[in-house]
Amino acid sequence: NHSCNANAKQVIPEDCTDAEIAVVATRRIRRGEQITISYIDTHSKNTAERRAELKKYYLFDCTCERCLKGEE
């Protein structure tokens, strides 16, 4: 799933075949916590820009903790 404060990232291995990707944790993930990646670049955009891009290209309103708190 998506989060603007993701706990994992997607990586395309050098020796991948077809549509393989790897998902790698970027911080400790607690038992029962959902694994999330960011669908967009979250480092150079403010909350309004992130939410607008997600709405335009992925057709949803982001309700992750970072967006709800208005964190830049």
Side-chain angles (χ1 to χ4, degrees):
N1 205 352
H2 165 82
S3 174
C4 291
N5 190 23
N7 57 21
K9 65 180 179 178
Q10 59 186 9
V11 177
I12 300 173
E14 289 182 23
D15 61 344
C16 77
T17 57
D18 298 314
E20 294 177 338
I21 66 165
V23 177
V24 179
T26 56
R27 63 176 171 81
R28 186 176 186 92
I29 300 172
R30 296 181 307 271
R31 183 182 304 263
E33 180 181 359
Q34 187 175 111
I35 297 172
T36 58
I37 61 172
S38 179
Y39 296 174
I40 60 170
D41 174 15
T42 59
H43 300 292
S44 62
K45 296 177 174 61
N46 65 34
T47 302
E49 293 169 327
R50 291 192 315 268
R51 293 183 97 186
E53 186 172 339
L54 289 162
K55 182 69 166 183
K56 181 177 180 178
Y57 294 108
Y58 296 96
L59 307 175
F60 71 91
D61 294 311
C62 188
T63 57
C64 74
E65 184 177 353
R66 184 175 174 192
C67 282
L68 293 177
K69 288 183 176 181
E71 294 176 357
E72 306 302 325

